Amino acid sequence: MDDYWNHNTAYHRELVAAVRQGARVLDVGCGDGLLLQKLAGRASQVTGIDPDAAALSRARERFPQSSPVRLIHGDLLTSPDLEGQRFDLVTCVATLHHLPLIPALERLRDLLAPGGQLRIVGLSANASVLDWAISGALLLPIRVMSGVHRESGYPDMTTARPSESLTHIRDAAATILPGSQVRRRFYYRYSLTWTKPA
Ligand SMILES: C[S@@+](CC[C@H](N)C(=O)[O-])C[C@H]1O[C@@H](n2cnc3c(N)ncnc32)[C@H](O)[C@@H]1O
């Protein structure tokens, strides 16, 4: 399966750049495995988890039989395959809004090894006048950039509308992941970065 560009893959480069030498990496909501494939070029151990069996089988096609990439068919919150596992980097792109926010943030925190980094690229709901104003102002520039990159959409992906505002996500992150950085980003996304104390 080929590479493609959309508002999620636009952030892949910075996520891949966050991989440190010898890192154990988990991609939550790995879908068809495009990010996993890019991470596998740098990490020593790469795991993806997704409950969508069809997407996972497309992900499997990206890797030869002998590949050490591990694909878990399951739910972030309940998969027994993640029990006792700890990762140096956990990525989660366009997936957090599919899950109950607080249990998901707690689970992501618990899956990190001390000193490990969480990198979320997420979607939030417009709730305030400011949210709507920013989205409106970005409409045209995002359309232009999507054209420049020849956006190919979201091939056979399970999608959902976000229901939580960025303010709500920021407040939850401040409690569960103290010191985390939540930033509004281009392409109607936010990023949340947190390093677990060593
Ligand atoms: C919009 S897609 C994003 C896929 C991929 N991360 C990307 O950026 O292209 C959201 C993904 O989250 C997955 N997902 C939904 N609920 C999940 C859960 N409880 N645990 C792990 N992944 C989940 C869906 O199956 C889907 O593949």
Side-chain angles (χ1 to χ4, degrees):
M1 189 186 287
D2 290 336
D3 199 351
Y4 54 87
W5 191 95
N6 61 35
H7 295 173
N8 301 327
T9 70
Y11 292 95
H12 283 183
R13 190 188 293 258
E14 67 184 54
L15 298 175
V16 172
V19 178
R20 284 181 300 203
Q21 186 81 26
R24 298 159 292 173
V25 181
L26 171 68
D27 185 35
V28 174
C30 64
D32 69 11
L34 179 57
L35 176 57
L36 279 180
Q37 190 172 30
K38 297 175 186 175
L39 293 166
R42 285 174 73 111
S44 74
Q45 192 187 304
V46 177
T47 303
I49 181 164
D50 204 294
D52 181 340
L56 266 197
S57 79
R58 291 197 300 281
R60 208 161 277 120
E61 286 170 20
R62 292 183 182 275
F63 303 103
Q65 289 259 308
S66 57
S67 164
V69 171
R70 186 171 176 224
L71 296 171
I72 300 174
H73 178 219
D75 181 323
L76 169 74
L77 297 180
T78 56
S79 172
D81 293 327
L82 288 175
E83 281 318 314
Q85 304 271 316
R86 292 294 175 269
F87 299 90
D88 306 301
L89 175 66
V90 175
T91 56
C92 182
V93 179
T95 296
L96 189 60
H97 65 287
H98 288 252
L99 289 144
L101 180 64
I102 292 185
L105 290 179
E106 289 172 342
R107 179 75 160 150
L108 292 167
R109 173 196 65 198
D110 295 346
L111 285 166
L112 282 172
Q117 197 174 60
L118 174 61
R119 292 253 181 171
I120 295 171
V121 174
L123 284 77
S124 58
N126 286 337
S128 66
V129 173
L130 181 68
D131 293 335
W132 283 106
I134 291 172
S135 289
L138 287 175
L139 194 66
L140 187 60
I142 289 178
R143 244 187 219 163
V144 169
M145 290 309 290
S146 298
V148 167
H149 287 285
R150 298 202 176 89
E151 184 183 13
S152 54
Y154 301 84
D156 296 324
M157 214 169 270
T158 308
T159 56
R161 277 186 180 278
S163 60
E164 279 128 356
S165 69
L166 192 55
T167 304
H168 182 61
I169 294 164
R170 220 178 238 132
D171 289 348
T175 306
I176 298 161
L177 310 169
S180 53
Q181 288 188 311
V182 180
R183 285 171 57 206
R184 205 185 283 268
R185 305 290 297 267
F186 203 61
Y187 301 123
Y188 312 116
R189 299 290 182 268
Y190 69 88
S191 60
L192 186 164
T193 305
W194 182 68
T195 302
K196 189 169 187 165

